[in-house]
Amino acid sequence: MSRFRLLFTSIASAILLAACASGAPPVISPIAQPTPPKPLHNVRIGLALGGGAARGFAHIGVIKALEAQGIVPDIVVGTSAGSLVGALYAAGNNGFALQKMALDMDEGAISDWAVPLFAKSTGVLKGEALQAYVNKSVHNVPLEKLKTPFGAVATDLKTGLPILFQRGNTGLAVRASSAVPSVFQPVRIGEHSYVDGGLVSPVPVRFAHEMGADFVIAVNISSQPDQQQAVSAVEVLMQSFAIMGQSINQHELKEADIVIQPGLGSMKGNDFNGRNLAILAGEQAAYAAMADIKQKLKAKREQ
């Protein structure tokens, strides 16, 4: 048995020496290389904030939730209440700062009553107080110098066409964007008069794209007519806006990558006391959409 083992060892050694002498490379099993990750492309995120008066406090909750997940928009565009929140956000106020501003806001600070008895009066609110509030809050910085590119959408009263303000007086642009007909007086800028942007673009998705956004997160705070009970003349007017805005939104929201719709139920546009619940509803809606946002953002960056 020992002779056989000695013979086998000798033969194996001879074969190994012969292989070395012949210069044949040893056989090495290949090591599997990990697949390199796809290169990520820069994606410009746009945040399109819709109109809805006091329901606009929900925008703050959405912003807070996005920031908590590291999602910070490169472009902000707003209509009406969305222009107010958007301007303050673009000026450098984060979600928590916006929430504090909202809770500290006195409704009287943005309401300046006109005298509706005069024949020339075209609205019960002048809007000058809103303009002053915004300019004070952004330290009188004009639109083009805000920290984040920002646009406010209004409607040309003569032509019915939308206008996107990106330069000039920030407070004046927000005032024009928020000038609900018969509630606020039209805003005169140059040779034109402007009213609420919600007439033509309730949620300004296409303007976010026009400003250079590759990925648009739209926040729709418009009310559902069947959930609202219109009693006063103003409530009837706001409900008419909501009905009209529904058909416009059906087309424009299709261009958004993500649509967030906070559950505001029957909250009315003049319910400033509901601001806390509106902010919370915005946060909840944004977190509910967060997985979808991250998945679609990742796919967009890998394209």
Side-chain angles (χ1 to χ4, degrees):
M1 187 70 178
S2 59
R3 288 183 180 179
F4 178 78
R5 182 178 297 171
L6 180 61
L7 178 62
F8 178 80
T9 303
S10 300
I11 294 172
S13 300
I15 293 173
L16 180 61
L17 288 173
C20 292
S22 65
V27 177
I28 301 176
S29 299
I31 300 175
Q33 297 296 323
T35 304
K38 294 181 179 180
L40 298 180
H41 302 289
N42 183 43
V43 174
R44 288 170 62 82
I45 301 173
L47 183 62
L49 304 177
R55 295 165 66 93
F57 288 111
H59 291 316
I60 297 172
V62 171
I63 290 169
K64 284 179 62 183
L66 292 175
E67 286 183 335
Q69 298 297 309
I71 300 172
V72 180
D74 304 288
I75 293 165
V76 181
V77 59
T79 292
S80 198
S83 74
L84 171 58
V85 175
L88 300 180
Y89 184 41
N93 298 290
N94 64 20
F96 285 99
L98 290 174
Q99 178 170 299
K100 185 177 187 307
M101 294 170 75
L103 298 181
D104 292 342
M105 179 186 288
D106 178 8
E107 185 179 354
I110 60 172
S111 302
D112 46 359
W113 297 94
V115 183
L117 298 178
F118 291 116
K120 291 184 179 180
S121 178
T122 53
V124 295
L125 296 174
K126 292 183 287 185
E128 293 172 356
L130 174 62
Q131 177 180 337
Y133 173 82
V134 172
N135 281 334
K136 181 180 179 181
S137 299
V138 303
H139 307 291
N140 293 306
V141 173
L143 290 166
E144 67 272 18
K145 292 187 178 180
L146 295 175
K147 293 183 179 180
T148 301
F150 170 72
V153 180
T155 304
D156 189 313
L157 186 57
K158 183 177 181 179
T159 66
L161 296 175
I163 176 72
L164 179 67
F165 289 107
Q166 293 181 266
R167 300 185 63 83
N169 188 304
T170 301
L172 187 60
V174 171
R175 176 185 170 190
S177 179
S178 306
V180 179
S182 298
V183 178
F184 283 92
Q185 296 176 353
V187 179
R188 187 79 175 176
I189 302 176
E191 299 299 318
H192 296 261
S193 293
Y194 298 96
V195 291
D196 195 291
L199 288 168
V200 288
S201 185
V203 186
V205 175
R206 69 183 179 94
F207 287 105
H209 282 299
E210 287 183 13
M211 288 178 65
D214 307 306
F215 186 93
V216 176
I217 300 172
V219 186
N220 180 18
I221 57 167
S222 61
S223 60
Q224 299 299 315
D226 59 350
Q227 295 181 352
Q228 297 289 319
Q229 183 178 1
V231 178
S232 68
V234 172
E235 289 172 354
V236 170
L237 179 64
M238 297 303 293
Q239 184 148 330
S240 300
F241 262 61
I243 293 170
M244 180 182 63
Q246 279 189 320
S247 59
I248 300 175
N249 277 341
Q250 285 179 359
H251 296 90
E252 191 152 8
L253 290 178
K254 291 179 181 178
E255 299 181 24
D257 295 274
I258 295 288
V259 177
I260 297 174
Q261 184 150 355
L264 298 170
S266 60
M267 179 182 180
K268 295 184 181 297
N270 59 355
D271 184 9
F272 275 74
N273 293 327
R275 66 191 79 180
N276 265 321
L277 292 176
I279 293 171
L280 179 60
E283 285 189 73
Q284 291 174 335
Y287 277 117
M290 198 63 67
D292 196 24
I293 293 172
K294 290 182 177 180
Q295 180 182 1
K296 289 184 176 180
L297 258 179
K298 182 175 182 291
K300 193 79 171 181
R301 287 172 173 149
E302 291 177 346
Q303 286 181 355

